[in-house]
Amino acid sequence: MATGSEAGKSAEAVLEWPKQDKKRMLHAVYRVGDLDKTIKCYTECFGMKLLRKRDVPEEKYTNAFLGFGPEDTNFALELTYNYGVDKYDIGAGFGHFAIANEDVYKLSETIKSSDCCKITREPGPVKGGSTVIAFAQDPDGYLFELIQRGPTPEPLCQVMLRVGDLDRAIMFYEKALGMKLLRKKDVPQYKYTIAMMGYAEEDKTTVLELTYNYGVTEYNKGNAYAQVAIGTDDVYKSAEAVELVTKELGGKILRQPGPLPGLNTKITSFLDPDGWKVVLVDYADFLKELH
């Protein structure tokens, strides 16, 4: 049986792994009611590419992966269509995805000329700042923030989720997943605080934008947005670290690490303290699956 100091040391070693692991944000998964319409919308309005599509008739669903670059270097959106289901509840917890573009005014005009997406906030500077943004809504009601930014290797730049305790969420993603707090901003006049979490600077990679609205500790998550997937060098070590952190901060392991039946890709999945699902994927297995 381990002594207190031995247990302490082993916990320390377990929590060292997320700091060393070369994690990368891979994709966000969510459900849509008309896959072909959404693919058309994202390619025509946002300029995304359809990267791959797979139909799984025995499970009655079809997936489509869309993004701005190949999946082995770029973040992607994984759209899921479940046979016969044409509507989902987005809920109040999911916020938006974000796309960085060099000319948000021009992009907004492109979107306005399409028949599948609509602009819900006209392009212009953010309140109290100079960054030009706009908001667009897709056929299922998902929001996309359009952010004016210089050339970037990753135009699909944010996944925004609302959380009930921002400091707890920051600590969870730092300790369990080795993310860095890139920026924190409190906006008291609008009663919210945001934290940008990621593995590289905001203009270089996809980040999680965690939003805390003053006094709101819980959100209805609906059944539309599913999860974010993150690549790891070792799902077993990563799951061990996540499990340890959930005991301290909340959340729970949903699927113990191991290969997926039929695919052999090793994964583990868990809920964070706010109930948002994350899937960790063995990165070498993920690359094999792509090629």
Side-chain angles (χ1 to χ4, degrees), residues 1-67:
M1 196 170 158
T3 65
S5 64
E6 280 169 350
K9 271 182 206 162
S10 61
E12 237 170 72
V14 167
L15 292 176
E16 267 306 302
W17 170 249
K19 298 173 193 171
Q20 298 161 11
D21 190 17
K22 294 182 183 71
K23 288 189 177 72
R24 181 170 84 77
M25 297 267 284
L26 302 179
H27 49 253
V29 183
Y30 54 103
R31 301 170 183 99
V32 299
D34 184 332
L35 191 59
D36 291 333
K37 187 177 182 180
T38 308
I39 291 168
K40 179 178 182 279
C41 172
Y42 291 7
T43 52
E44 287 182 9
C45 294
F46 302 138
M48 288 187 206
K49 297 178 182 78
L50 174 60
L51 304 168
R52 61 188 167 118
K53 196 174 176 184
R54 66 179 178 205
D55 187 34
V56 188
E58 61 276 19
E59 302 280 342
K60 297 185 177 174
Y61 73 86
T62 310
N63 283 133
F65 293 78
L66 290 101

Side-chain angles (χ1 to χ4, degrees), residues 24-28 73-77 97-98 149 152-159 179 182 197-209 228:
R24 181 170 84 77
M25 297 267 284
L26 302 179
H27 49 253
T73 53
N74 286 69
F75 190 71
L77 298 178
F97 300 107
R149 189 179 278 174
T152 171
E154 186 49 271
L156 200 49
C157 58
Q158 287 173 13
V159 179
M179 283 191 183
L182 304 169
M197 307 289 300
Y199 296 110
E201 291 310 309
E202 283 177 67
D203 59 348
K204 301 281 190 291
T205 187
T206 308
V207 301
L208 284 182
E209 177 183 342
V228 72

Side-chain angles (χ1 to χ4, degrees), residues 3-4 12 35 46 73 81 94 96 101 120 147 152 166 172 189 212 217 222 229 232 237 277 288:
T3 65
E12 237 170 72
L35 191 59
F46 302 138
T73 53
Y81 168 69
F94 175 79
H96 59 255
N101 186 274
T120 58
I147 303 170
T152 171
L166 191 59
F172 183 88
Q189 63 271 39
Y212 169 69
T217 57
T232 171
K237 286 183 183 176
K277 188 179 173 187
K288 275 183 213 157

Side-chain angles (χ1 to χ4, degrees), residues 231-234 265-266 281-290:
T232 171
D233 288 339
D234 191 320
T265 297
K266 294 180 286 297
V281 183
D282 180 284
Y283 194 57
D285 290 349
F286 171 73
L287 292 178
K288 275 183 213 157
E289 215 184 298
L290 288 181

Side-chain angles (χ1 to χ4, degrees), residues 59-165:
E59 302 280 342
K60 297 185 177 174
Y61 73 86
T62 310
N63 283 133
F65 293 78
L66 290 101
F68 290 97
E71 287 175 73
D72 48 7
T73 53
N74 286 69
F75 190 71
L77 298 178
E78 180 181 340
L79 313 179
T80 301
Y81 168 69
N82 292 298
Y83 293 9
V85 185
D86 63 1
K87 209 170 180 194
Y88 293 94
D89 171 21
I90 291 175
F94 175 79
H96 59 255
F97 300 107
I99 294 170
N101 186 274
E102 289 178 61
D103 189 341
V104 164
Y105 293 97
K106 191 176 168 189
L107 180 58
S108 297
E109 288 308 311
T110 301
I111 292 165
K112 281 180 191 173
S113 66
S114 81
D115 59 356
C116 52
C117 285
K118 60 183 180 188
I119 293 292
T120 58
R121 187 235 194 237
E122 290 293 332
V126 292
K127 285 172 185 160
S130 58
T131 304
V132 171
I133 66 160
F135 270 91
Q137 192 173 44
D138 81 358
D140 289 277
Y142 292 101
L143 285 174
F144 283 78
E145 183 180 12
L146 313 174
I147 303 170
Q148 193 147 302
R149 189 179 278 174
T152 171
E154 186 49 271
L156 200 49
C157 58
Q158 287 173 13
V159 179
M160 192 277 251
L161 303 171
R162 297 182 178 96
V163 298
D165 181 332

